[in-house]
Amino acid sequence: TTEQVRFISTASDASGIIQINIYVDNILRSTCSTAPSCKYLGGSYSQGTHPYYSTTLDTYNNLGRDPPSGTKSFYVNEYIPS
């Protein structure tokens, strides 16, 4: 598909967030050092399922992840005009 997908990851921590990473298809696509959010506009994507997840790093170097294990995903269905 030629459509694009917008990914937004937000994070907060009492000590502060110093980095947010967005991964799509298990590839690092965006690194942001401006908390509380990180955005990535990606595409186009081939037909099928595409995994994504995000990680965060706080000022004490504690790593967070969404989801905590595994990935989330979206599915691209090929559009065939009639």
Side-chain angles (χ1 to χ4, degrees), residues 9-21 30-38 55-64:
S9 180
T10 58
S12 64
D13 184 83
S15 69
I17 299 295
I18 59 172
Q19 186 175 13
I20 301 173
N21 297 310
S30 182
T31 297
C32 304
S33 58
T34 55
S37 67
C38 186
T55 62
T56 60
L57 191 63
D58 72 9
T59 56
Y60 294 111
N61 289 320
N62 295 311
L63 184 65

Side-chain angles (χ1 to χ4, degrees), residues 10-50:
T10 58
S12 64
D13 184 83
S15 69
I17 299 295
I18 59 172
Q19 186 175 13
I20 301 173
N21 297 310
I22 296 175
Y23 295 82
V24 181
D25 289 332
N26 297 310
I27 298 170
L28 176 62
R29 301 294 184 171
S30 182
T31 297
C32 304
S33 58
T34 55
S37 67
C38 186
K39 299 175 185 176
Y40 171 69
L41 182 62
S44 61
Y45 294 100
S46 61
Q47 182 174 353
T49 302
H50 299 272

